[in-house]
């Protein structure tokens, strides 16, 4: 196929460019327009909030190929980096952690904490996660009905776990949860995003300074002693890394727990299998929910470092790229009946955790929490059901991480 080149921001084509992200029609599915693009224009220009027009990549193979391509950069300081919102662009310098860097810097920083996030490292947390799950379910059982599952279970569980790992006092959860929410709201006033980001980073900077003076056996404590005290990492860079881990460590999993539970409640037969099934069924159900829901739903953002020919187009060096994992995970060429929940789906190479060198560091932890949380919840409350009509559920359309705002349930 002969490659065609489309010039960035070409005004003649501007009105033809769809805006991204698009609105959902069904809250359980990515926008229908994405499916249409995937079928008709799998690599195409789209228009962002700032009028820029990066490439949107919607097919599974193209998404994986680009995310694994060393000619593609995740560096948020590059001029055409396609930010999801003015607020996230405004905080780019103050919050640039390794997720927004390329190797070797990315690898150097990621390596400092990788041992805490390996499958083996995370497995040691199993007794803690099981205890926290049980305690939260006990409290739910004792408390009033209906209850908001987000507040009572989905949000506290991953927050408590990441606090334990990092050495952040869980007592400060209102503070860091509110600030994380403000950072991830793509409709927020940019000043509000920057303020939330700065306050959360200041909080972590103080905590790290304390851990420099008084060693603690947790991730931030080890970062402080091994790297900050020895001059290999600035306190401020350690705080930025802490911010990434704290935010990514609770928002994503919390939304998977709540939205995943709602999805299971809408599929009672499969929910019963998760409740009564063995480990293999639960594992497979978790992967399927990760694929189907793809809660990190506004694409992985990148910039081309060189001209790249792909799918009949040439992406020029310096142009922005958005690889839409939410679309890739529904690509019929990669998954049979991709819009259906099938907890027995065989091999499930979804890209809900991204792909390539930036693939989610916390995925063993997320899997551990989800594999424990769903069956424990369904076993404790076999009769779990929505306490309001489905139509009344409000969704997180304006957030970087999608899900439900509240989930009133009873049993
Ligand atoms: C179900 C839960 C989760 C989902 C769906 C998820 C999703 C993702 C995705 C899609 C990426 C790739 C970003 C990119 O390529 O630009 C990512 C990266 C990352 N995630 Fe997660 N994540 C989850 C849980 C967690 C947890 C529990 C942590 C723990 C701290 C975590 C920490 C990170 C970090 C540090 C990165 C950056 C990795 C790098 O740049 O090398 N995530 N995550």
């Amino acid at each position: 196929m002969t490659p065609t080149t489309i010039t960035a921001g070409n005004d003649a084509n501007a009105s033809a460019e769809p805006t991204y992200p698009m609105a959902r029609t069904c809250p359980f599915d990515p926008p229908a327009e994405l499916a249409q693009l995937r079928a008709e224009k799998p690599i195409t220009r789209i228009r962002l909030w700032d009028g820029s027009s990066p490439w949107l990549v919607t097919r599974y193979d193209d998404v994986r190929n680009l995310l694994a391509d060393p000619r593609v950069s995740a560096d948020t300081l590059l001029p055409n980096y396609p930010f999801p919102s003015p607020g996230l662009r405004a905080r780019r310098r103050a919050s640039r952690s390794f997720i927004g860097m390329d190797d070797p810097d990315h690898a150097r920083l990621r390596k400092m904490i990788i041992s805490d996030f390996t499958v083996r490292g995370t497995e040691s947390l199993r007794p803690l996660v099981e205890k926290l799950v049980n305690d939260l379910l006990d409290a739910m059982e004792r408390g009033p009905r209906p209850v908001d599952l987000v507040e009572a279970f989905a949000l506290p569980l991953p927050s408590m776990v990441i606090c334990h790992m990092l050495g952040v006092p869980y007592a400060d959860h209102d503070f860091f949860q509110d600030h994380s929410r403000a950072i991830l709201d793509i409709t927020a006033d940019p000043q509000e995003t920057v303020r939330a980001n700065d306050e959360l980073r200041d909080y972590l900077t103080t905590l790290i300074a304390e851990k420099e003076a008084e060693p603690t056996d947790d991730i931030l404590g080890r970062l402080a002693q091994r790297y900050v005290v020895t001059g290999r990492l600035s306190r401020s860079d350690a705080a930025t890394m802490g911010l990434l881990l704290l935010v990514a460590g609770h928002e994503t999993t919390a939304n998977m727990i709540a939205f995943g539970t709602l999805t299971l409640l809408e599929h009672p037969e499969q929910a019963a299998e998760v409740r009564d099934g063995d480990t293999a069924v639960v594992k497979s159900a978790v992967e399927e929910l990760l694929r189907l829901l793809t809660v990190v739903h506004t694409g992985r953002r990148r910039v081309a470092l060189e001209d790249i020919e792909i799918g009949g187009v040439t992406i020029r060096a310096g142009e922005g790229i958005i690889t839409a994992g939410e679309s890739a995970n529904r690509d019929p060429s990669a998954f049979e009946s991709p819009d259906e929940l099938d907890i027995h789906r065989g091999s499930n190479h979804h890209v809900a955790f991204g792909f390539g060198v930036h693939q989610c560091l916390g995925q063993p932890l997320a899997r551990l929490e989800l594999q424990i949380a769903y069956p424990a919840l369904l076993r404790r409350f076999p009769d779990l059901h929505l306490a309001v009509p489905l139509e009344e559920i409000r969704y997180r359309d304006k957030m970087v991480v999608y899900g439900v705002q509240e989930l009133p349930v009873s049993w």
Side-chain angles (χ1 to χ4, degrees), residues 88 148 150-151 155 159 173-188 192-193 195-197 200 246-247 250-251 254-255 396 398-401 404-406:
L88 291 170
D148 174 14
V150 174
E151 208 55 47
L155 191 54
S159 303
H173 64 95
D174 282 342
F175 168 78
F176 70 74
Q177 286 167 351
D178 286 352
H179 282 64
S180 302
R181 240 192 315 265
I183 294 170
L184 297 179
D185 180 352
I186 55 177
T187 59
E192 185 50 30
T193 315
R195 188 193 56 77
N197 189 77
L200 189 51
L246 184 57
V247 176
H250 79 275
E251 274 277 345
N255 281 291
R396 297 169 38 117
K398 306 296 178 209
M399 304 294 284
V400 172
V401 185
V404 293
Q405 295 190 22
E406 303 97 18

Side-chain angles (χ1 to χ4, degrees), residues 67 98-99 106 110 117 162 244-245 248-249 252-253 256 290 295-296 300-302 351-355 357-363 365-366 369-370:
L67 288 177
F98 58 87
I99 195 169
H106 159 263
R110 183 171 160 134
F117 291 97
I162 197 69
L244 168 65
L245 298 174
T252 47
T253 312
M256 270 307 299
L290 284 162
V295 292
V296 182
R300 313 310 340 126
R301 315 254 168 163
R302 301 291 192 266
V351 288
F353 289 122
F355 194 67
V357 291
H358 288 279
Q359 199 172 136
C360 181
L361 175 76
Q363 55 188 292
L365 175 62
E369 292 182 37
L370 296 175

Side-chain angles (χ1 to χ4, degrees), residues 49-85:
W49 59 273
D50 60 354
S52 64
S53 36
W55 295 95
L56 182 72
V57 182
T58 43
R59 281 195 185 154
Y60 179 83
D61 284 344
D62 294 336
V63 164
R64 291 209 342 167
N65 288 338
L66 280 169
L67 288 177
D69 193 325
R71 295 170 298 172
V72 169
S73 167
D75 187 345
T76 49
L77 297 183
L78 287 172
N80 288 331
Y81 185 89
F83 285 95
S85 70

Side-chain angles (χ1 to χ4, degrees), residues 159-171:
S159 303
M160 287 169 171
V161 175
I162 197 69
C163 279
H164 169 85
M165 290 179 79
L166 291 175
V168 167
Y170 180 69

